[in-house]
Amino acid sequence: HSSVHDRVTELAQRFRLDETATAQLLRSFGERSRLATCDLERDLEELAEHFACSNKPSALVCRMLSEIRSGKRFGPCKFRKDAPAPGGASGSRPSSVARRDSE
């Protein structure tokens, strides 16, 4: 079981975060890890998903700092390619158009 510092550093390296973003992420996760709501495994997985969807993960860290410190869940990234369409997929226009095209 590796430390919070090691896990966050590994995530920062994987997404090539700049030094400032890495330092902010380390400091924020240090605070977050002391909260009862922190599930480090889940939190890092969800954050990695957000980074993977971002063109600028270092800038994303800055935008998410208060969320990271607060202990709130990040949840799945709404920009994932396989994310459900807003309002649910049933009856959405693209799928009905696709069905018509395949007939």
Side-chain angles (χ1 to χ4, degrees):
H1 179 278
S2 44
S3 72
V4 172
H5 184 277
D6 293 344
R7 301 283 308 280
V8 173
T9 300
E10 179 187 319
L11 183 71
Q13 290 171 344
R14 190 166 94 205
F15 290 98
R16 296 183 174 96
L17 300 184
D18 62 34
E19 285 182 36
T20 304
T22 300
Q24 290 174 329
L25 197 60
L26 284 167
R27 194 167 30 254
S28 298
F29 260 96
E31 294 172 24
R32 186 181 181 94
S33 67
R34 291 190 282 273
L35 301 172
T37 57
C38 180
D39 176 341
L40 187 63
E41 189 70 32
R42 179 199 66 208
D43 293 345
L44 290 175
E45 260 180 47
E46 289 178 355
L47 194 58
E49 184 181 302
H50 285 270
F51 288 163
C53 294
S54 175
N55 292 329
K56 297 181 180 180
S58 292
L60 183 60
V61 169
C62 297
R63 288 195 307 276
M64 293 183 75
L65 280 178
S66 64
E67 207 175 327
I68 294 168
R69 288 188 185 118
S70 73
K72 292 179 188 170
R73 281 200 60 188
F74 306 119
C77 180
K78 63 183 176 186
F79 299 109
R80 271 189 354 213
K81 289 184 172 114
D82 61 339
S90 63
S92 66
R93 190 168 178 87
S95 62
S96 60
V97 170
R99 264 185 262 129
R100 259 188 260 126
D101 291 344
S102 64
E103 290 181 57

